Amino acid sequence: MLLLSQFLKHQNTPDDLVELTDTLMVACKEIAIQLREGALAGILGTSEEVNVQGETQKKLDIISNDILKAVLLDNPLVAGVASEEEEEPVAGNPNGKYLVTFDPLDGSSNIDINVSVGTIFSILECPEGMSGGDEAAFLQAGRKQVASGYVLYGTCAVLTLTTGNGVNMFTLSHTGDFILTRENVQIPEQTQEFAINMSNQRFWEPAMQNYVSDLLLGEEGPLGKRYNMRWVASMVAEVHRVLTRGGIFMYPWDKRAPEKPGKLRLMYEGNPMSWLIEQAGGRSTTCYKDILDVEPDKIHQRVAVALGSKQEVTTMMAYHGEK
Ligand code: AHM
Ligand code: MG
């Protein structure tokens, strides 16, 4: 039985990164406890607040954000944090080595119906001479991440983590420890399962419309096989499914908001999930280029996302003109 920190040390992860991961998990355990209490703690439902993304915040969005911020900023390794729920980055220790970005509670529209949600995080090094309170310090492409992952609060709480040495999963035990339960996760290259919000179909680009139409044609269409569909509306749950049994998950650009590249956010969702997917042998793209190669110009930047089983993502990209 290997604990998270033991496993990371065994992988020769730098000591300070092991410590920071442990700190992150202190916050995630607290979030898991709050979620478990649900209505008993009076924390379900919507707050009066609207976040920087223009979305009404759930009470648990705010609680989770506050927990992560407080716990992380208490660790001197942290130079600054940036959150989907905060307008601007928050500075930590001026001599801290790391920056942490997070979506404190992804899929939070699911809270009130008791369906899975999760915390997504990404760790970067703070560039020399920059403050963790400056947006510019965070504007690094996804390939620069030193760790990324999520905690899925489902029937059990599972941490899925990469530090660039593959993807591993750890289950939260009743003793409060994250214990290694799946090592070196690999996504099957082929799939017959797709996930997309079909209600947006009429707003997509023609290339995406054509691809999904062909998925729906099943064995009678050019793709020659019958597909099944899933949509949890919780990216953490969708990515966890893809990492567990393969599949393709897509949240493409659509013309409801043509000025935005997509709905999901590059720094809090796109980059951390893309690194996990690539590390597990899958592929993650904007439909035109690898998400990890996108150079961010804003901390709250959005991105189109299509990720999962390598062959299926490659097929989807061919519809978008990839040779
Ligand atoms: P959130 O970060 O505000 O929760 O939004 C992100 C979520 C993803 O988890 C999920 O894939 C998507 O939004 C669902 O969107 P929709 O409700 O448009 O299907
Ligand atoms: Mg989110």
Side-chain angles (χ1 to χ4, degrees):
M1 201 167 79
L2 268 183
L3 300 182
L4 171 62
S5 55
Q6 289 171 331
F7 179 78
L8 289 177
K9 282 181 192 151
H10 176 71
Q11 278 198 324
N12 293 324
T13 311
D15 286 347
D16 54 8
L17 199 52
V18 177
E19 187 193 322
L20 181 52
T21 312
D22 273 341
T23 298
L24 254 167
M25 289 313 109
V26 169
C28 290
K29 277 183 240 179
E30 183 55 34
I31 296 170
I33 290 166
Q34 298 281 335
L35 284 166
R36 210 177 302 141
E37 292 289 304
L40 293 175
I43 51 174
L44 300 186
T46 302
S47 73
E48 305 286 296
E49 310 295 321
V50 173
N51 69 8
V52 57
Q53 325 282 342
E55 301 155 343
T56 309
Q57 289 173 302
K58 296 282 181 187
K59 287 183 198 163
L60 272 163
D61 282 325
I62 299 173
I63 292 169
S64 310
N65 187 53
D66 289 348
I67 292 171
L68 277 158
K69 226 172 47 172
V71 172
L72 285 169
L73 292 176
D74 210 31
N75 185 327
L77 288 168
V78 177
V81 299
S83 163
E84 186 182 301
E85 303 295 338
E86 298 272 336
E87 192 141 2
E88 289 179 354
V90 185
N93 177 6
N95 300 314
K97 179 171 172 190
Y98 293 111
L99 303 170
V100 186
T101 76
F102 50 85
D103 178 354
L105 209 57
D106 181 66
S108 55
S109 68
N110 279 323
I111 291 169
D112 295 343
I113 57 166
N114 209 355
V115 168
S116 299
V117 289
T119 297
I120 312 173
F121 60 86
S122 158
I123 303 178
L124 295 159
E125 285 189 6
C126 186
E128 219 150 287
M130 294 184 98
S131 156
D134 287 346
E135 180 171 2
F138 289 85
L139 302 181
Q140 307 180 38
R143 298 224 179 268
K144 299 262 180 69
Q145 294 172 104
V146 295
S148 81
Y150 61 78
V151 175
L152 169 65
Y153 310 105
T155 45
C156 55
V158 177
L159 162 67
T160 300
L161 178 71
T162 186
T163 56
N165 286 311
V167 175
N168 300 285
M169 294 184 179
F170 306 82
T171 304
L172 181 59
S173 73
H174 68 279
T175 53
D177 298 302
F178 279 97
I179 294 169
L180 180 69
T181 42
R182 254 186 89 196
E183 200 172 344
N184 195 19
V185 174
Q186 289 293 313
I187 304 174
E189 288 208 0
Q190 297 180 31
T191 184
Q192 290 183 224
E193 199 161 66
F194 73 99
I196 194 164
N197 185 339
M198 284 296 296
S199 69
N200 298 327
Q201 183 175 26
R202 67 191 189 281
F203 304 118
W204 302 329
E205 284 189 277
M208 186 53 84
Q209 304 239 13
N210 293 338
Y211 170 62
V212 175
S213 299
D214 286 349
L215 292 177
L216 297 176
L217 287 173
E219 56 274 66
E220 287 153 29
L223 301 174
K225 54 183 172 176
R226 184 178 190 151
Y227 286 82
N228 197 2
M229 198 199 90
R230 289 286 181 272
W231 189 249
V232 189
S234 180
M235 188 190 196
V236 178
E238 319 271 12
V239 170
H240 196 70
R241 187 185 59 248
V242 168
L243 286 168
T244 304
R245 64 178 192 214
I248 181 167
F249 162 85
M250 295 165 285
Y251 212 118
W253 173 89
D254 71 52
K255 63 184 179 207
R256 286 173 303 167
E259 73 292 354
K260 292 183 187 159
K263 173 184 176 180
L264 300 174
R265 273 114 322 195
L266 177 65
M267 306 298 291
Y268 317 114
E269 292 156 332
N271 278 341
M273 293 309 205
S274 297
W275 203 27
L276 289 172
I277 293 291
E278 283 200 8
Q279 282 284 313
R283 196 168 176 195
S284 182
T285 147
T286 65
C287 296
Y288 296 97
K289 69 187 280 192
D290 288 352
I291 290 183
L292 293 178
D293 290 327
V294 174
E295 291 290 341
D297 53 29
K298 294 201 289 290
I299 187 82
H300 292 301
Q301 182 164 335
R302 309 232 179 195
V303 69
V305 175
L307 57 79
S309 296
K310 202 175 222 164
Q311 283 192 21
E312 197 59 47
V313 175
T314 301
T315 300
M316 183 278 305
M317 288 190 77
Y319 283 75
H320 290 79
E322 191 185 65
K323 299 274 183 316

